[in-house]
Amino acid sequence: MSTIPTATISRLVTYLRILTTLENHGVKNTSSEQLAEEAQVSAFQVRKDLAYFGRFGTRGAGYTVPTLRRELRRILGLNRPWNVAIIGMGRLGQAIADYPHFEQYDFSLKACFDINPKVIGQTISSNHVYGMDALPQIVKEKGIDIGFLTVPQASAQDAADALVAAGIKGILNFAPVVINVPREVHVEPVDFLAGLKRVSFYIINPGLKEELA
Amino acid sequence: MSTIPTATISRLVTYLRILTTLENHGVKNTSSEQLAEEAQVSAFQVRKDLAYFGRFGTRGAGYTVPTLRRELRRILGLNRPWNVAIIGMGRLGQAIADYPHFEQYDFSLKACFDINPKVIGQTISSNHVYGMDALPQIVKEKGIDIGFLTVPQASAQDAADALVAAGIKGILNFAPVVINVPREVHVEPVDFLAGLKRVSFYIINPGLKEELA
DNA sequence: ATCTATTTGTGAAATTTGCCACAATAAAAC
DNA sequence: GTTTTATTGTGGCAAATTTCACAAATAGAT
Ligand SMILES: NC(=O)c1ccc[n+]([C@@H]2O[C@H](COP(=O)([O-])OP(=O)(O)OC[C@H]3O[C@@H](n4cnc5c(N)ncnc54)[C@H](O)[C@@H]3O)[C@@H](O)[C@H]2O)c1
Ligand SMILES: NC(=O)c1ccc[n+]([C@@H]2O[C@H](COP(=O)([O-])OP(=O)(O)OC[C@H]3O[C@@H](n4cnc5c(N)ncnc54)[C@H](O)[C@@H]3O)[C@@H](O)[C@H]2O)c1
């Protein structure tokens, strides 16, 4: 298990989602073939991705939906609660605070932060908004693991530094900029404008899309 | 120019953003070294990425910021206006309609759509909300190229089918599901929950992050 | 109990992507 | 005008990733 492709982790998330949908529909068994079709990858790929972590199927019969789902949740670390905080309670931060689907996945919004005195002290979706100076203490007290960075581009590095100093372990970066953090902190970009620009490129270069069977 | 890595396109978007920031700060010249540092990749990578599309620098001197920026905008297709529509005017759709930074990039929000009779006919951020039956006609009339898919997971495939039937060329998919479209339509996922789950994995597996110099 | 039909798990090949060294070349210094 | 310095552009190599073929194993049929 020396190294695992990033793309594999992304696909595991997709497989998990498909398994959840199957389970909700009462489906008991599945196969690499079915997962592959839903995820739009090859069946080889599904099996190879799973093989990085162990053996989860039975030859000739395929996979048991609840079992594989449980295993993938364990592999991805989703079988434990994660405490998250939002940094920057502007339009996007507020929209995310309103989003009800976290709890369903054992992600729990524990605190909100902003730098604007007019916003600090308000209550947004039944969450108190703290000032940035309270960050280290609240992170420690509430055991916050992950920060959602929803501040303007120009403030993103500063806010990220504050999160790192407070001892956060992962950052979901919504700002359209590459932020610099120590290696032990993991950053995932969620970059809407970048996606839009990629769409632009692929529309004007239709030939450059990789062929799919 | 047979095939260009997807990762290269993502990095070009990053380089463009860096160049825009540099230009706004009045910086006239730059180098693969500087771009590499800001983008957190190697200088080789920057030069290789650019080499797919031509020669843009002068040896010994580096790159001229406005020139390289203009070239990247051309390569990415950002030197022309793009007309976009939002499908699904719930919390996220509304937040995006409010987002003012589109115009700055020659992306123009031309129409909003929903399936809920209570929402249809409303005006959101000075955009009229149309019913889904109006999609084909409005897409044609207003020359809409790109659709933002912000409907619930369960409706995403249906709404995507409607977009495809209406003749849209690209989709930014905010729903947490893999949608199935013909090859000539390009889909970019913007998947917040998937990012969150990847963070979870990398927090519990700190050893699996690729080494960086 | 044996055979047949499936479908997984995996080593090896093929492909893709990234890395690196260095020749080419332009600007600056002298 | 020549030399020095700097930095790009690129061909070849290494590493990572995907694809593939097939042996191993299991469930179900006979
Ligand atoms: N609004 C959208 O639809 C949208 C979509 C995608 C990405 N984004 C990105 O998300 C980020 C936020 O966007 P927005 O529209 O919510 O912006 P916004 O201006 O509405 O909100 C930003 C908030 O961050 C706070 N802030 C600023 N500096 C801070 C700091 N150093 N520490 C803590 N808080 C700080 C501000 O007080 C403000 O409340 C931006 O980077 C934007 O590009 C927004
Ligand atoms: N709210 C967030 O912060 C957030 C963040 C990331 C991703 N998402 C994803 O974005 C999507 C939308 O989230 P939301 O919170 O805005 O949901 P929402 O329920 O508030 O809004 C969804 C809207 O889509 C409309 N709709 C439903 N089916 C439709 C159809 N077939 N055609 C057209 N319109 C249709 C509904 O009438 C509603 O107005 C979801 O897939 C969600 O998972 C939301």
Side-chain angles (χ1 to χ4, degrees):
Chain A
M1 206 210 264
S2 62
T3 179
I4 292 166
T6 320
T8 289
I9 308 308
S10 292
R11 286 189 297 260
L12 290 182
V13 171
T14 302
Y15 306 151
L16 172 57
R17 203 166 267 162
I18 293 163
L19 289 162
T20 301
T21 302
L22 289 174
E23 187 164 296
N24 288 343
H25 285 67
V27 178
K28 288 278 178 281
N29 299 287
T30 187
S31 63
S32 58
E33 198 64 56
Q34 181 175 25
L35 291 172
E37 189 181 332
E38 300 270 339
Q40 296 183 30
V41 299
S42 70
F44 312 123
Q45 190 72 78
V46 173
R47 298 201 295 272
K48 178 66 91 178
D49 286 338
L50 295 175
Y52 283 110
F53 297 94
R55 302 151 161 222
F56 308 107
T58 52
R59 298 180 187 210
Y63 304 94
T64 312
V65 170
T67 307
L68 185 56
R69 177 163 181 274
R70 188 169 347 104
E71 291 294 320
L72 284 182
R73 283 173 52 84
R74 178 184 58 72
I75 290 165
L76 292 170
L78 301 173
N79 55 348
R80 69 185 71 191
W82 289 109
N83 297 325
V84 307
I86 304 179
I87 320 300
M89 297 310 291
R91 285 171 304 245
L92 185 62
Q94 292 188 31
I96 292 176
D98 270 340
Y99 192 57
H101 295 304
F102 293 125
E103 306 298 335
Q104 171 187 338
Y105 296 107
D106 273 332
F107 289 99
S108 179
L109 177 59
K110 290 291 188 205
C112 300
F113 296 88
D114 206 293
I115 208 173
N116 182 345
K118 290 192 181 136
V119 182
I120 296 171
Q122 286 185 13
T123 298
I124 294 178
S125 298
S126 62
N127 289 281
H128 181 80
V129 180
Y130 296 93
M132 290 299 282
D133 50 350
L135 192 64
Q137 197 199 331
I138 304 283
V139 164
K140 204 173 169 193
E141 270 179 19
K142 306 206 174 190
I144 292 169
D145 310 288
I146 300 172
F148 292 1
L149 197 56
T150 54
V151 305
Q153 193 199 63
S155 311
Q157 186 61 59
D158 282 354
D161 292 345
L163 281 170
V164 169
I168 217 108
K169 304 193 199 90
I171 295 175
L172 218 58
N173 178 26
F174 292 82
V177 62
V178 178
I179 57 173
N180 190 2
V181 300
R183 194 169 27 233
E184 65 270 18
V185 176
H186 184 81
V187 179
E188 278 286 332
V190 182
D191 194 338
F192 153 69
L193 291 172
L196 189 47
K197 289 168 188 176
R198 286 193 295 266
V199 170
S200 167
F201 175 82
Y202 285 108
I203 290 178
I204 63 168
N205 296 284
L208 291 182
K209 293 191 57 179
E210 62 283 8
E211 305 296 315
L212 202 69
Chain B
M1 205 209 263
S2 63
T3 178
I4 291 166
T6 319
T8 289
I9 308 307
S10 292
R11 287 189 297 262
L12 291 182
V13 171
T14 302
Y15 307 151
L16 172 58
R17 203 166 267 162
I18 294 163
L19 288 162
T20 300
T21 303
L22 289 174
E23 187 163 295
N24 288 344
H25 285 67
V27 178
K28 289 277 178 281
N29 299 288
T30 187
S31 64
S32 59
E33 197 65 55
Q34 180 176 25
L35 291 172
E37 189 181 332
E38 301 269 341
Q40 296 184 30
V41 299
S42 70
F44 311 122
Q45 190 71 77
V46 173
R47 297 202 294 273
K48 178 67 90 176
D49 286 337
L50 295 176
Y52 283 110
F53 297 95
R55 302 151 162 222
F56 308 107
T58 53
R59 300 182 186 207
Y63 304 93
T64 311
V65 170
T67 306
L68 185 55
R69 176 163 182 274
R70 188 169 348 103
E71 289 295 318
L72 283 182
R73 283 173 50 84
R74 179 184 56 74
I75 290 166
L76 291 169
L78 301 172
N79 55 348
R80 69 186 72 190
W82 289 107
N83 297 325
V84 308
I86 304 179
I87 320 301
M89 297 311 291
R91 285 171 305 245
L92 184 62
Q94 291 188 31
I96 292 176
D98 270 341
Y99 192 57
H101 294 304
F102 292 125
E103 306 298 334
Q104 172 186 337
Y105 295 106
D106 273 331
F107 290 98
S108 180
L109 177 58
K110 290 291 188 208
C112 300
F113 296 88
D114 206 291
I115 209 171
N116 182 345
K118 289 191 182 139
V119 182
I120 297 171
Q122 285 185 14
T123 298
I124 295 178
S125 298
S126 62
N127 289 281
H128 181 80
V129 179
Y130 297 93
M132 290 299 282
D133 49 351
L135 192 64
Q137 198 199 331
I138 303 282
V139 164
K140 203 172 172 195
E141 269 179 20
K142 306 208 174 189
I144 292 169
D145 310 289
I146 301 172
F148 292 2
L149 198 54
T150 54
V151 304
Q153 193 200 63
S155 311
Q157 186 61 59
D158 282 353
D161 291 345
L163 281 170
V164 169
I168 218 107
K169 302 193 201 92
I171 295 175
L172 219 58
N173 178 25
F174 292 81
V177 62
V178 179
I179 58 173
N180 190 1
V181 300
R183 195 170 28 235
E184 66 271 18
V185 176
H186 184 81
V187 178
E188 278 286 331
V190 181
D191 195 338
F192 152 68
L193 290 171
L196 190 48
K197 291 170 186 173
R198 286 192 296 266
V199 171
S200 167
F201 175 83
Y202 285 108
I203 290 178
I204 64 168
N205 296 284
L208 291 183
K209 291 190 59 178
E210 62 284 6
E211 306 295 316
L212 201 67

